[in-house]
């Protein structure tokens, strides 16, 4: 729980926000002579509450809001002969802030014998909920309860090369991020928008 008071020449603002999280998870694994396989699964619940008392000069008084998110996640990790590595996973969220979303992630890496050059790649998607301030406002700035979550999609490829018997390593990575529905502050008199 976070609580604070800000004293300004014209007004007093009191902010109270709290978050409660519960998470549980489990991992299993199996090793063979040339391979490894592991899995992780879990679930979580998060509840957030927000309360702000504004001076009447700053608009609506008070602002009280809450939201919660149920989540489930899983990941598989595999390795073959300490040369090829694969990870695949995802997270499913059901939130009162933005609805339902699935965020996958996959990585693949391989090590070349003799040179130990490592080639790697990754792909993933993500989501970020609007902040309470952007969604519900405060300090006289109106909120926008219709904001969508920010979404991202990214991929990368890279190469790592050990040098001088592994004492140093050189690497290069190319990546691309594509963002959608970014939340932008417009002005003090208008709500944020996607």
């Amino acid at each position: 729980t976070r609580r604070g008071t800000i004293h300004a020449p014209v007004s007093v603002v009191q902010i109270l926000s709290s978050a409660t999280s519960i998470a549980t998870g489990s991992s299993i694994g199996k090793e063979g002579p040339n391979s490894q396989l592991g899995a992780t699964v879990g679930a979580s619940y998060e509840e957030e509450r927000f309360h702000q008392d504004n001076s009447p000069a700053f608009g609506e008084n008070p602002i009280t809001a809450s939201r919660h998110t149920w989540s489930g996640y899983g990941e598989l990790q595999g390795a073959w002969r300490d040369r090829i590595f694969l990870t695949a996973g995802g997270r499913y969220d059901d939130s009162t802030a933005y609805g339902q979303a699935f965020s996958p992630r996959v990585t693949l890496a391989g090590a070349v014998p003799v040179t130990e050059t490592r080639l790697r790649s990754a792909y993933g998607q993500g989501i970020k909920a609007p902040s309470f301030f952007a969604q519900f406002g405060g300090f006289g700035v109106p909120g926008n309860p219709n904001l969508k979550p920010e979404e991202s999609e990214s991929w990368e490829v890279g190469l790592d090369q050990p040098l001088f018997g592994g004492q140093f390593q050189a690497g290069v990575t190319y990546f691309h991020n594509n963002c959608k529905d970014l939340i932008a502050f417009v002005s003090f008199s208008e709500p944020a928008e996607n």
Side-chain angles (χ1 to χ4, degrees):
T1 301
R2 183 176 49 176
R3 186 179 203 141
T5 302
I6 300 170
H7 296 280
V10 184
S11 67
V12 175
V13 177
Q14 184 180 42
I15 300 171
L16 173 66
S17 66
S18 65
T20 304
S21 296
I22 300 171
T24 185
S26 181
S27 295
I28 59 171
K30 180 172 172 115
E31 250 181 79
N34 294 319
S35 63
Q36 299 171 352
L37 183 62
T40 302
V41 294
S44 67
Y45 172 78
E46 182 176 22
E47 183 176 84
E48 300 171 284
R49 293 187 187 117
F50 177 80
H51 178 81
Q52 178 175 291
D53 286 323
N54 287 323
S55 165
F58 280 134
E60 185 181 337
N61 190 16
I63 297 172
T64 301
S66 67
R67 59 190 185 193
H68 68 268
T69 304
W70 289 95
S71 301
Y73 55 88
E75 182 177 82
L76 294 173
Q77 309 100 19
W80 184 70
R81 296 186 180 251
D82 283 332
R83 293 285 170 208
I84 298 175
F85 307 90
L86 175 67
T87 303
R91 178 183 178 96
Y92 172 80
D93 294 310
D94 188 357
S95 174
T96 57
Y98 54 82
Q100 300 174 347
F102 178 70
S103 303
R105 179 155 173 83
V106 177
T107 66
L108 178 64
V112 178
V114 181
T115 65
E116 294 303 318
T117 304
R118 183 172 292 237
L119 305 169
R120 54 186 163 72
S121 63
Y123 171 82
Q125 295 177 353
I127 195 164
K128 181 182 175 193
S131 69
F132 272 111
F133 183 77
Q135 197 169 21
F136 302 108
F139 302 107
V141 178
N144 183 351
N146 299 318
L147 284 173
K148 298 179 218 166
E150 295 179 335
E151 297 179 28
S152 66
E153 181 178 46
S154 62
W155 61 269
E156 67 180 54
V157 292
L159 168 74
D160 297 311
Q161 179 62 57
L163 302 169
F164 305 107
Q167 296 298 315
F168 297 96
Q169 179 171 296
V172 63
T173 301
Y174 177 83
F175 64 91
H176 178 80
N177 293 324
N178 186 29
C179 298
K180 177 179 162 190
D181 293 327
L182 291 177
I183 297 171
F185 174 76
V186 178
S187 74
F188 288 106
S189 60
E190 297 178 56
E193 59 185 42
N194 290 102

